Amino acid sequence: MADIPQAYAAPGEPVPNPLRVLSLDRLRRRTSVKWRAHPEDVLPLWVAEMDVPLAEPVARALHEAISLGDTGYPAGTGYAEALAEFAVKRWGWDGVAVERTALVPDVMLGAVELLKLVTGPGDAVVVNNPVYPPFYQFVTHLGRRVVEVPLGAGLRIDLAALDEAFGRVTAGGRRAAYLLCSPHNPTGTLHTAEELSAVAALAGRHGVRVVADEIHAPIVAGGSAFVPYLSVPGAENGMSLMSASKAWNLAGLKAALAVFGPAAAGDLARLPEEVSHGPSHLGVMAHTVALREGTGWLDALLAGLDANRRLFADLLARHLPGVSHRPGEATYLAWLDCRALDLGGADPAAFFLERGRVALVSGTAFGTGGAGHVRLNLAASPELLTEAVRRMAAALT
């Protein structure tokens, strides 16, 4: 394994930018969906995988487990304890009570299980569109109704519209839930404590249960701060899904945690025990080590993402001025408004794939309001981002 480059550093030395470690040739040896969905002449900036090596503590723990044959079933509460410690250090929040957590296979499967606890068939699940496509897919497959409440000015939560929708979906005493994306995917919006407190007040007034997808929580831009939904007043009966998978690029190592507010302990008691059978032992191990020992690597990644955000904004201004972009405060995703471009009615993602050989996610997948937009993954090397924008600009000429 010695030939595989890692973003490793000697003890006491700074961790190098993980986004600048791997060559494109080496990345193309990967067999994950990002690198296998398109031909080799396409630059893949679509799905939420990062072009980074594993954090050294995570790689070391996995290598050790493999050498021991430690590939059985997960045990213990180490993951929850690590998340609780991380939350205190990173967010100043001591609200992750280990006894009010549950292991789940991943964030979306966990969301399904929590929605089962608080809604029934045909009940409404409110979402803020445009939003992560699996919100639509998983909720519909569960037999619930997706009710869209578009983001408002500045791509922020429209509290008046949310109030109206909550009243409408609970009319006649029906149960309903609000599937909150925090930080928001695809816009990178970071909800404030004031906004989340207002959400909690509205949910309490209407009897709507809040399930927060907080998978991108550790990935914030410099100078920004993530606020856990369960930390705000009025959110005591809320539930959250958290995972180390996005921040440390561990999507292939399945594991996540459902975190219950103090007034939702009864819901936790009704969660079927077999739900905890889904996570991978190696996944739980990797996520636990990432939260406990991978913060130096995370800090280096965040600095690299800040640099990429600045570079990308400059590249757009110089080469694609017709594309509107509001830099996100969180996630490593960019939401691009391409409606001002003259694409002859073509979907921008399809246009840039065919004409520029750059793979992006079509905005139509994110619900009403997504047409004419694309989502782009910034978690790549500066050189790859530069080449992608060059190709996109050339496709327009």
Side-chain angles (χ1 to χ4, degrees):
M1 306 296 288
D3 68 321
I4 299 180
Q6 305 286 357
Y8 295 171
E13 292 186 2
V15 178
N17 178 358
L19 296 166
R20 305 201 73 153
V21 172
L22 301 177
S23 68
L24 183 58
D25 286 343
R26 187 171 289 277
L27 287 165
R28 289 203 182 280
R29 290 169 54 187
R30 292 184 169 181
T31 58
S32 62
V33 66
K34 179 176 184 179
W35 296 97
R36 287 294 180 265
H38 299 285
E40 283 205 359
D41 66 324
V42 172
L43 295 182
L45 294 176
W46 62 292
V47 73
E49 295 181 25
M50 295 193 288
D51 297 348
V52 294
L54 280 177
E56 187 276 335
V58 175
R60 177 170 20 91
L62 291 173
H63 290 163
E64 191 172 308
I66 295 299
S67 70
L68 291 172
D70 187 7
T71 54
Y73 298 108
T77 58
Y79 190 177
E81 292 163 9
L83 177 62
E85 295 162 9
F86 182 87
V88 170
K89 294 174 182 175
R90 210 76 179 183
W91 308 318
W93 178 52
D94 63 358
V96 179
V98 172
E99 67 275 12
R100 290 200 309 274
T101 65
L103 272 175
V104 292
D106 60 31
V107 163
M108 283 311 304
L109 289 174
V112 165
E113 295 298 334
L114 300 190
L115 290 171
K116 284 181 184 178
L117 296 175
V118 297
T119 63
D123 286 341
V125 176
V126 176
V127 303
N128 293 128
N129 55 293
V131 74
Y132 184 49
F135 276 26
Y136 295 93
Q137 298 157 351
F138 280 78
V139 169
T140 301
H141 184 70
L142 182 59
R144 274 55 168 173
R145 296 184 292 123
V146 175
V147 174
E148 295 184 320
V149 177
L151 293 173
L155 299 176
R156 308 206 71 84
I157 296 173
D158 185 333
L159 294 169
L162 199 64
D163 188 13
E164 187 279 329
F166 282 0
R168 177 162 35 90
V169 299
T170 56
R174 288 206 71 158
R175 295 193 294 174
Y178 174 41
L179 187 52
L180 170 68
C181 195
S182 179
H184 194 84
N185 175 2
T187 64
T189 301
L190 195 58
H191 308 307
T192 66
E194 292 74 20
E195 288 169 328
L196 294 175
S197 297
V199 165
L202 291 176
R205 184 185 312 154
H206 294 286
V208 171
R209 299 298 300 278
V210 177
V211 176
D213 170 358
E214 298 183 317
I215 195 170
H216 288 275
I219 310 170
V220 295
S224 300
F226 169 73
V227 179
Y229 175 70
L230 296 181
S231 72
V232 303
E236 291 79 11
N237 73 344
M239 295 168 281
S240 166
L241 282 309
M242 291 189 170
S243 175
S245 64
K246 283 292 183 285
W248 283 272
N249 206 45
L250 303 174
L253 292 161
K254 291 283 190 178
L257 285 165
V259 183
F260 292 73
D267 299 302
L268 171 59
R270 294 186 294 111
L271 187 70
E273 190 270 340
E274 61 268 21
V275 171
S276 67
H277 295 185
S280 154
H281 177 42
L282 292 178
V284 171
M285 182 186 307
H287 291 220
T288 302
V289 171
L291 289 165
R292 282 196 169 135
E293 302 177 40
T295 53
W297 184 93
L298 176 62
D299 288 338
L301 171 71
L302 296 181
L305 288 172
D306 279 345
N308 276 6
R309 290 187 188 96
R310 292 189 295 270
L311 169 67
F312 186 67
D314 179 63
L315 288 170
L316 286 185
R318 287 192 287 123
H319 302 293
L320 287 170
V323 173
S324 176
H325 167 238
R326 181 189 298 269
E329 304 160 290
T331 81
Y332 49 78
L333 307 167
W335 184 238
L336 309 181
D337 185 347
C338 304
R339 290 175 293 179
L341 300 179
D342 183 14
L343 302 182
D347 176 82
F351 177 87
F352 287 123
L353 178 60
E354 180 182 352
R355 299 280 296 273
R357 311 309 284 163
V358 177
L360 309 169
V361 182
S362 172
T364 58
F366 296 84
T368 305
H373 294 71
V374 294
R375 193 191 74 179
L376 180 145
N377 183 344
L378 294 168
S381 71
E383 293 77 16
L384 196 151
L385 287 178
T386 300
E387 172 62 11
V389 173
R390 185 199 67 78
R391 291 186 183 193
M392 292 167 70
L396 295 171
T397 60

